[in-house]
Each structure stands twice: as C-alpha cells, then as structure tokens.
C-alpha cells in the first residue's frame, strides 16, 4: 500500500537524511539546526509514519534498520535533485548543459554578429543551441515580459521596469556608394554632396527612429529618397548599381563593400556612434544559464 504524501510531513525527510548521514541523534540535530528534544520528536513521527523502528540505539550511536536502508536508497537521490532544483546561485556548466537560447536581432546584427555568437556557443558546449528571431513586427517589451526571448540586441532601448539593459557596444555610421560615384571621388563626402544626392534608405520598423536619427539625437535629415529597402544587403546591392548613396554601420559597409566594390567614406557630420543595447527579462536574473549567456555575449565584445 502506497504512502499518502498529503498526510506525510515531507520536512521529516530532511530529518531522516540527517539521521542516516550522522547515525547519531545529537549530531543529526546540529546538522539541521534543531534541538535534541525536537529531533527525538521528529524521529518518533517518522517511525509512526513509516511503521518501522528505523534506527536502533547502541552505545556509539544509531544503526539503521533494513527498512531504513531501503527507504534511504530511494529518498537520498530525490532530496539531492530537489536541492539542486531550488538552489539559488547554481552553476551552469556549458560543456554539459542541453539548452537553447532565444535571441532577437535586426538585420545588421544578423550579418555582423550572429555568426560569431553561434561559433562561440558551439565552442562552449556541444548541446548549446541558438534560435534567432527577427525584430520586424515584434513587440520587444511584450516578448521579453512573456519570457519568449532570452536576449534582444538592438539600437533601440526598451523602456520597461521588467526589462534590464546595458550597452553592449557601439557602431559608427558611414556612407557607401558605387566605386565611381563622383560624390565620393576624393575618398570623402561633404554634407552638401550628401544632401544633393538621392538615397537608398532602410525601411523603418514601425514608428521607431532609424539608426541615423539615433546618432543625430532624434533629428531628421531632409534626404532625397530614391528607394526604401528591407535590409542592408539590398541597400548595398542597389547602391552598387545606381548613383544613390547609402548610410550603414561601418562593419557592414566593409563586408558588403568587398562584395560589391563599394566606396566607403566617413559620415559628413560629426555624429555619435550608435549604441548597441543588450536587453533581457529581469525575471530571468535568478537563472544561472541565462546569466552565463549574458556574460558570454559581453565577452564577445560585439
């Protein structure tokens, strides 16, 4: 007949564990922080619940009965598992853990950093995996609050009391053009030339400010728009085949510049680099695996 757990005081299992480990009533009481009379009373309740003497007293301590030995064989691993499951500050072993991390990024991060993130994860542990989500059409704050994402990397910071964030890095914006574009003939670009040309712009995500507007402190430049595209790869391809200019992060400009033979020039205004924000749900702060992933991203120096 199975024991009814609802009628059993599970706290007695920690008493039982201490008695099995110490096989001495006084030392077992000290181990769990109880007085000796309280330990004696707990042992009596154990005996009644399990219908067995459990321990036989002798001069040097207490000897477990065969029933106690059989019960402990099952109980001890269960107690260990419970302890590990509820412990705060547990250690995440990347070499042995089986875990998928969900990250949301824009097209810039997909090209500039997703490869190095995946490569680093594969080196850290054979069972670590990455799931990438695009930021287009995503309510970032809601997705983080619902714990659908572990981390968001974006140039726009989420303002929410349930989301933590920090600047992970910065990126300089540059101008790109076809190799023979006259506006960049001298390896640079003046503001007058920049504004006189037509531009290929990245399609803006909802009402969010563009990276350039972020760098300009929210101000807008009155640019002549030739075309809106979905991502920087398309911007580079269109710019290479036209007389339009593009503005993009420097790292992408060098990647696409080599592929399309583009000329890259500094932005004609002295503007601040664009911040790359790392954002995550505050509710995951107690999770060792999540803390490990944040530290992993910091060490990559994106």
């Amino acid at each position: 007949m199975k024991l009814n757990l609802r009628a059993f005081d599970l706290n007695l299992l920690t008493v039982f564990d201490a008695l099995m480990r110490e096989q001495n009533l006084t030392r077992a009481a000290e181990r769990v922080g109880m007085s000796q009379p309280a330990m004696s009373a707990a042992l009596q309740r154990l005996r009644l619940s399990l219908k067995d003497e459990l321990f036989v007293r002798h001069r040097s301590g207490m000897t477990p009965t065969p029933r106690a030995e059989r019960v402990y064989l099952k109980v001890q691993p269960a107690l260990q598992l419970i302890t590990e499951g509820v412990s705060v500050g547990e250690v995440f072993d990347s070499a042995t853990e089986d875990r998928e991390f969900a990250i949301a990024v824009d097209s810039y991060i997909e090209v500039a950093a997703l490869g190095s993130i995946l490569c680093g994860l594969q080196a850290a542990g054979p069972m670590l995996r990455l799931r990438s989500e695009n930021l287009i059409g995503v309510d970032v704050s809601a997705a983080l609050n619902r714990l659908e994402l572990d981390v968001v990397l974006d140039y726009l910071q989420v303002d929410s009391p349930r989301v933590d964030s920090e600047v992970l890095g910065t990126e300089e914006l540059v101008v790109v053009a076809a190799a023979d574009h006259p506006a960049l003939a001298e390896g640079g670009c003046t503001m007058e030339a920049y504004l006189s040309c037509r531009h290929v712009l990245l399609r803006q995500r909802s009402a969010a400010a563009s990276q350039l507007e972020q760098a300009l402190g929210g101000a807008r430049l009155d640019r002549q728009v030739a075309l809106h595209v979905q991502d920087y790869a398309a911007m580079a391809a269109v710019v290479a085949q036209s007389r339009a200019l593009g503005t993009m992060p420097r790292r992408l400009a060098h990647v696409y510049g080599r592929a399309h033979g583009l000329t890259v020039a500094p932005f004609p205004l002295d503007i601040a680099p664009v911040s790359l924000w790392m954002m995550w749900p505050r509710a995951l702060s107690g999770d060792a695996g999540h803390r490990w992933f944040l530290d992993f991203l910091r060490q990559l120096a994106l």
Side-chain angles (χ1 to χ4, degrees):
M1 183 175 176
K2 286 190 175 181
L3 179 70
N4 182 3
L5 279 181
R6 295 185 64 183
F8 184 83
D9 183 358
L10 294 177
N11 290 315
L12 293 176
L13 293 180
T14 59
V15 170
F16 180 52
D17 179 62
L19 287 166
M20 287 296 295
R21 289 173 183 270
E22 300 294 344
Q23 297 187 17
N24 179 282
L25 193 70
T26 302
R27 291 199 302 269
E30 292 173 352
R31 185 181 187 94
V32 295
M34 296 173 67
S35 67
Q36 188 167 331
M39 177 61 75
S40 296
L43 174 57
Q44 185 58 30
R45 294 200 303 276
L46 265 171
R47 285 168 168 162
L48 291 172
S49 297
L50 298 179
K51 297 179 175 59
D52 188 85
E53 190 67 14
L54 296 178
F55 298 92
V56 177
R57 293 178 182 271
H58 56 79
R59 183 174 296 179
S60 60
M62 306 171 73
T63 301
T65 65
R67 174 80 193 284
E69 296 281 8
R70 290 195 302 272
V71 170
Y72 191 61
L73 191 65
K74 301 288 186 179
V75 166
Q76 198 278 332
L79 287 175
Q80 181 65 30
L81 189 62
I82 292 170
T83 300
E84 291 174 358
V86 300
S87 292
V88 177
E90 72 273 23
V91 175
F92 181 82
D93 184 359
S94 63
T96 59
E97 293 283 352
D98 182 352
R99 178 142 178 186
E100 178 180 80
F101 295 102
I103 186 169
V105 297
D106 70 358
S107 58
Y108 154 58
I109 295 297
E110 280 187 317
V111 175
L114 215 52
S116 62
I117 293 173
L118 179 60
C119 181
L121 273 184
Q122 290 175 334
M127 293 184 289
L128 299 181
R129 303 176 306 284
L130 190 67
R131 174 167 58 85
S132 174
E133 303 285 346
N134 197 287
L135 284 170
I136 296 175
V138 174
D139 184 336
V140 173
S141 180
L144 287 170
N145 288 334
R146 291 193 298 265
L147 306 186
E148 295 171 353
L149 298 168
D150 289 291
V151 172
V152 171
L153 300 180
D154 195 15
Y155 62 91
L156 295 172
Q157 184 184 18
V158 170
D159 183 16
S160 168
R162 292 190 287 175
V163 174
D164 287 328
S165 60
E166 67 182 65
V167 175
L168 195 59
T170 59
E171 183 65 88
E172 180 185 356
L173 297 180
V174 296
V175 182
V176 294
D180 59 349
H181 198 296
L184 277 66
E186 302 300 323
C189 182
T190 66
M191 199 64 205
E192 182 181 6
Y194 184 81
L195 293 177
S196 68
C197 293
R198 303 189 75 191
H199 293 258
V200 178
L201 271 58
L202 199 65
R203 191 170 297 282
Q204 195 166 298
R205 301 200 322 255
S206 64
S210 69
Q211 287 183 321
L212 180 55
E213 288 159 4
Q214 288 282 307
L216 291 169
R220 292 178 180 269
L221 287 179
D222 187 17
R223 290 180 288 180
Q224 302 176 53
V225 180
L227 180 68
H228 282 93
V229 293
Q230 300 298 323
D231 53 43
Y232 286 118
M235 179 187 290
V238 171
V239 164
Q241 301 173 64
S242 69
R243 279 292 178 261
L245 300 181
T247 303
M248 65 173 61
R250 179 177 289 279
R251 276 190 287 182
L252 288 192
H254 288 304
V255 171
Y256 293 133
R258 290 191 294 269
H260 296 283
L262 300 176
T263 298
V264 180
F267 193 81
L269 283 180
D270 184 15
I271 58 176
V274 177
S275 295
L276 173 61
W277 289 93
M278 178 169 72
M279 296 162 283
W280 65 91
R282 184 167 295 173
L284 293 179
S285 61
D287 182 81
H290 189 265
R291 293 196 303 271
W292 177 90
F293 188 53
L294 294 180
D295 286 338
F296 164 79
L297 292 174
R298 292 181 184 109
Q299 291 166 15
L300 285 179
L302 300 177

